[in-house]
Amino acid sequence: MLGYTVRRILQMIPVVIGATFIIFALTFLMPGDPVAALTGARPLPESTVAQIRLAYHLDDPFLVQYGNYMLGLIQGNFGIDFFGRPILGLILERLPTTFALAMTAWVLKLAIGLAIGVYGGLRHGRAGDHFALVFTVIFLGIPGFVIALGAQTVFGVQLGWVDPAGIRAGWPMAFILPALVMAVEASAGLARLTRTSLVDVLRAEYLRTARAKGLSPNRVIWGHALRNAMIPVVTYLGLSLAGMLGGAVLIEAIFNIPGIGGLMVTAINNKEGTVVVGIATMLVLVYLVFNLLVDLLYGIIDPRVRI
């Protein structure tokens, strides 16, 4: 198991390098001058602008800027913004809010997706199965921002059941609507995966043998079929939790939640590429850590993957 863990960690290194390179390149190509965005309508003296560009290495070639960023990243330094604040501190300050939203959405997604997927899988070819398929097609086809804007208008503005924006009400009331929006969209994929996996397992030969031995239908389904059908689902759930953190960026912007998403939008508007790169890098690292944990868990469940 130790050798398998070391191999998985070493495989993460080129992924981090490749992901950060692409992120940095896209940010480097962002139109506009970050210093001009910082000063606004009141231009600074040329000498001050030159000092700012020198301090933040804005005139250095792309590869030099990327190399300096990677050297700092290896030391745990994500850089500083134009106001001299450490970017890592800004991210960690807002990360709990984003994590609370992502975890709430993940739990709701787990409940909705598994319930509909199991319901459809156990009723393969019948009305329950058709309902599950229609549900997944509808919510996989509708963009997330459309669901978010519609839910915000109906439940927040017209009905007034929750605040349409902000987190004044605290958890869970302020998080329930945006989390439900994220969960409904994401649960469609989970429901389809659960339903497909369960249908495949129910056709397996060992289940026919279990029925032939006289095991009760409940024991066959709950003791054998579901347990084996959940193996790919567990892998998907582990990776989707990290994906929820990235997906929260758009939802936070729509619902005006002061998390990483709001910080990202502000940084893009201000042309602060270092902040954008820092946030994206943090999300990549979080995703890779969750991916590593899922791989290790899968290696414990099925020792064959360690080979």
Side-chain angles (χ1 to χ4, degrees):
M1 191 65 185
L2 178 60
Y4 175 71
T5 304
V6 172
R7 289 200 307 270
R8 296 302 299 161
I9 293 175
L10 292 177
Q11 290 171 2
M12 292 171 58
I13 296 176
V15 176
V16 172
I17 295 174
T20 53
F21 183 84
I22 294 173
I23 294 168
F24 205 93
L26 293 175
T27 306
F28 186 84
L29 295 174
M30 286 175 59
D33 184 3
V35 179
L38 174 66
T39 58
R42 299 177 59 183
L44 294 174
E46 289 295 329
S47 59
T48 304
V49 172
Q51 290 178 357
I52 294 175
R53 302 189 69 85
L54 179 63
Y56 290 92
H57 306 282
L58 297 178
D59 293 327
D60 290 348
F62 165 72
L63 291 179
V64 174
Q65 292 189 38
Y66 176 71
N68 291 332
Y69 177 75
M70 289 302 295
L71 287 176
L73 188 62
I74 292 173
Q75 302 170 28
N77 180 13
F78 282 69
I80 58 176
D81 66 0
F82 285 145
F83 299 97
R85 298 172 298 183
I87 295 174
L88 182 59
L90 295 175
I91 295 174
L92 295 179
E93 179 183 342
R94 298 191 177 219
L95 189 60
T97 301
T98 300
F99 191 76
L101 174 61
M103 279 300 301
T104 305
W106 188 79
V107 171
L108 292 174
K109 166 190 171 178
L110 184 67
I112 298 171
L114 287 181
I116 294 177
V118 171
Y119 182 77
L122 293 179
R123 289 159 178 79
H124 178 56
R126 291 181 283 176
D129 188 25
H130 298 322
F131 165 76
L133 291 175
V134 170
F135 171 84
T136 58
V137 169
I138 291 176
F139 286 102
L140 284 175
I142 301 178
F145 71 89
V146 174
I147 300 175
L149 292 173
Q152 186 182 49
T153 301
V154 174
F155 299 106
V157 178
Q158 296 180 352
L159 297 178
W161 290 355
V162 294
D163 290 337
I167 57 172
R168 291 179 302 172
W171 191 91
M173 290 305 299
F175 289 84
I176 191 67
L177 184 59
L180 187 59
V181 168
M182 293 174 60
V184 168
E185 181 187 13
S187 64
L190 175 60
R192 171 154 291 199
L193 175 63
T194 304
R195 178 252 178 204
T196 303
S197 179
L198 184 56
V199 169
D200 290 341
V201 169
L202 289 174
R203 295 171 177 169
E205 291 293 336
Y206 68 89
L207 287 186
R208 296 179 185 176
T209 303
R211 296 189 188 99
K213 289 183 176 180
L215 295 181
S216 65
N218 285 336
R219 186 174 178 184
V220 170
I221 292 174
W222 300 103
H224 297 276
L226 280 177
R227 184 173 61 183
N228 289 281
M230 288 300 106
I231 292 178
V233 175
V234 168
T235 304
Y236 172 79
L237 285 174
L239 296 178
S240 68
L241 178 56
M244 283 286 186
L245 291 173
V249 171
L250 175 63
I251 299 300
E252 287 178 351
I254 294 175
F255 287 92
N256 194 27
I257 296 175
I260 292 180
L263 182 63
M264 174 78 86
V265 172
T266 301
I268 293 174
N269 292 334
N270 294 337
K271 304 294 189 297
E272 290 195 86
T274 52
V275 179
V276 176
V277 172
I279 295 172
T281 302
M282 176 62 76
L283 293 177
V284 169
L285 293 175
V286 170
Y287 184 85
L288 290 176
V289 169
F290 274 100
N291 187 30
L292 175 63
L293 293 177
V294 169
D295 285 343
L296 295 179
L297 177 61
Y298 203 82
I300 295 173
I301 297 175
D302 188 355
R304 292 173 299 177
V305 302
R306 306 180 202 170
I307 302 174

